[in-house]
Amino acid sequence: MSWIDDPAFTPDAPFGPQTLPYGVVPGGIAVRVGDRALLLRPLADHFGERLAPLLTAPTLNPLLAAGRPLWSELRAKLVELVTATSAPRGAELVGLDGAVLPFEVADYVDFYSSRHHAENVGRMFRPDGDPLLPNWTHIPIGYHGRAGTVVVSGTPVVRPEGQRRSSDGPVFGPSRRLDIEAEVGFVCGGPVATRLSPAKAVDHVFGVTLVNDWSARDIQAWEYQPLGPFLGKSFATSVGAWITPLEAFATARVTPPPLGNDVLPYLVEDRPWGLDIRIEVEWNGVLVSRPPFRTMSWTFAQQLAHLSSNGATVRPGDLIASGTVSGPNRDERGSFLELSWGGQEPVAVGDAERTFLEDGDTVRITATAPGVNGSVVGLSEVVGTIAPAISEG
């Protein structure tokens, strides 16, 4: 029993008391309870002098900087408050509308951790070669994205313009092969640190959210050699409005599939941090894919260990994303590039067939993970609708 009267606030619902993700709504920092948000500013006095200032800040960044002991203390107190039979003094429940990007993104790094995705792309782009490049099973491949174009779920995605290859040389114009990448993102915090081991990296991950790293495949194909993704990726990256604490995923831990070779000592995990997160991708309301995150070969702990191995820092507000999540089956592919096999196999989207995104199309990505005692843990949805290119609008 709880004083919160919301049918979506139960252990068998994604946003019950086992989840408690953090976000920022017009009233300030809040925790999601079912289909409502509990404002934390009015409850600050219940949390003591160390936590109270963190809950009255305009974003989650001061909380991110506070570190694991205070994160755990806050979560324990929140569980106590939301599961009580009577409302705490000052409690105020509000709607979820108006949620904004809950933290200021410091740096953004996108990885490439799905073997199935990497092999699918390799078969399409290098049909006469090995689909998997030789470094892939030894190193977490990644690239630096743009923190300034990370946007909250629901923000319209304007079709990007750029250079594309044509039979007469490069042309400039709107992307014709606009795509998604269904990913899982990890929001970093704790003290600024470098050269993290995988074990220590875990203490620098505050929570988990869903990511859609929108991709213009025709722009990407022309520009990515020899240095990799640039304008084909940097125009928009959507993230969920609510950050689910890493502690909520304790029951969801799994061992990733084997790489087929030993990794260097700095990437070895004593107890791996693979996660059994079940993702669903809807295209204009039609479920088109169920990518399984448990098939990812590299964990977030290994990614952070590699990212910081050269002396680069991990700091509060850093966002790292897993890379496209794809499984072995066609209906488990996390990008439309793969689902349509490079545009050759149209995807049934209701009464229409699609290969890549058209103006007005909407993509919704959701996910859950197993929780304690049969409960489910929710991740905040990521939704985006395609708006016409500026030159066409």
Side-chain angles (χ1 to χ4, degrees):
M1 298 293 293
S2 167
W3 63 272
I4 299 173
D5 184 16
D6 187 322
F9 189 62
T10 60
D12 58 352
F15 296 103
Q18 72 283 358
T19 304
L20 300 180
Y22 299 95
V24 175
V25 294
I29 294 175
V31 64
R32 181 170 177 174
V33 287
D35 290 330
R36 307 282 284 171
L38 175 64
L39 295 178
L40 297 187
R41 180 186 293 271
L43 299 175
D45 291 344
H46 293 271
F47 293 95
E49 61 182 16
R50 295 196 304 168
L51 287 171
L54 308 178
L55 307 181
T56 57
T59 71
L60 294 177
N61 287 71
L63 178 59
L64 299 181
R68 176 72 63 201
L70 284 182
W71 301 341
S72 298
E73 181 181 336
L74 174 59
R75 181 170 171 81
K77 184 63 177 178
L78 278 172
V79 171
E80 178 184 326
L81 289 179
V82 301
T83 57
T85 55
S86 58
R89 183 184 68 260
E92 183 179 353
L93 293 172
V94 298
L96 303 177
D97 293 342
V100 299
L101 187 66
F103 65 104
E104 183 178 345
V105 182
D107 282 310
Y108 168 50
V109 176
D110 191 27
F111 284 91
Y112 191 53
S113 298
S114 167
R115 187 180 196 126
H116 299 292
H117 174 66
E119 289 182 339
N120 284 339
V121 172
R123 290 187 181 100
M124 281 185 273
F125 290 175
R126 298 184 301 276
D128 298 324
D130 190 332
L132 204 64
L133 294 174
N135 63 347
W136 195 91
T137 61
H138 294 274
I139 184 174
I141 303 296
Y143 75 93
H144 289 273
R146 289 191 62 83
T149 48
V150 176
V151 297
V152 73
S153 172
T155 304
V157 176
V158 177
R159 182 177 299 274
E161 297 178 278
Q163 284 197 28
R164 309 186 311 268
R165 180 189 289 113
S166 79
S167 57
D168 298 322
V171 296
F172 185 89
S175 170
R176 296 175 179 174
R177 293 166 70 90
L178 188 55
D179 195 5
I180 70 157
E181 290 187 342
E183 307 190 18
V184 175
F186 299 87
V187 180
C188 299
V192 176
T194 187
R195 295 184 173 89
L196 296 169
S197 67
K200 290 182 178 179
V202 174
D203 283 334
H204 291 267
V205 173
F206 172 78
V208 188
T209 190
L210 288 176
V211 172
N212 187 345
D213 194 38
W214 306 89
S215 300
R217 299 301 185 186
D218 43 1
I219 296 172
Q220 180 184 357
W222 174 239
E223 72 178 4
Y224 87 103
Q225 298 183 41
L227 292 182
F230 190 36
L231 300 186
K233 298 275 194 174
S234 63
F235 59 95
T237 300
S238 298
V239 301
W242 301 89
I243 312 301
T244 302
L246 183 63
E247 289 174 281
F249 294 90
T251 306
R253 288 181 70 170
V254 295
T255 299
L259 288 163
N261 52 253
D262 292 335
V263 297
L264 294 176
Y266 78 99
L267 293 171
V268 172
E269 288 183 285
D270 293 334
R271 187 185 170 203
W273 263 99
L275 292 171
D276 183 15
I277 296 174
R278 298 107 187 242
I279 302 171
E280 294 190 346
V281 179
E282 295 179 7
W283 193 347
N284 292 346
V286 178
L287 179 63
V288 294
S289 181
R290 291 187 173 92
F293 192 73
R294 66 179 300 136
T295 63
M296 301 296 275
S297 296
W298 295 100
T299 72
F300 70 84
Q302 291 172 310
Q303 290 165 348
L304 281 176
H306 181 63
L307 181 157
S308 63
S309 64
N310 69 342
T313 57
V314 175
R315 56 179 175 159
D318 280 356
L319 172 67
I320 66 169
S322 62
T324 306
V325 183
S326 290
N329 302 314
R330 186 176 190 269
D331 63 355
E332 295 176 332
R333 298 171 184 171
S335 71
F336 299 157
L337 174 73
E338 295 169 88
L339 273 177
S340 70
W341 205 251
Q344 299 177 46
E345 301 173 6
V347 180
V349 182
D351 295 331
E353 288 191 333
R354 292 280 199 274
T355 52
F356 293 97
L357 289 160
E358 298 184 8
D359 292 349
D361 282 0
T362 295
V363 177
R364 178 174 181 258
I365 303 173
T366 58
T368 58
V372 178
N373 297 325
S375 66
V376 290
V377 173
L379 286 87
S380 180
E381 69 176 14
V382 175
V383 179
T385 299
I386 306 303
I390 297 298
S391 63
E392 298 181 337

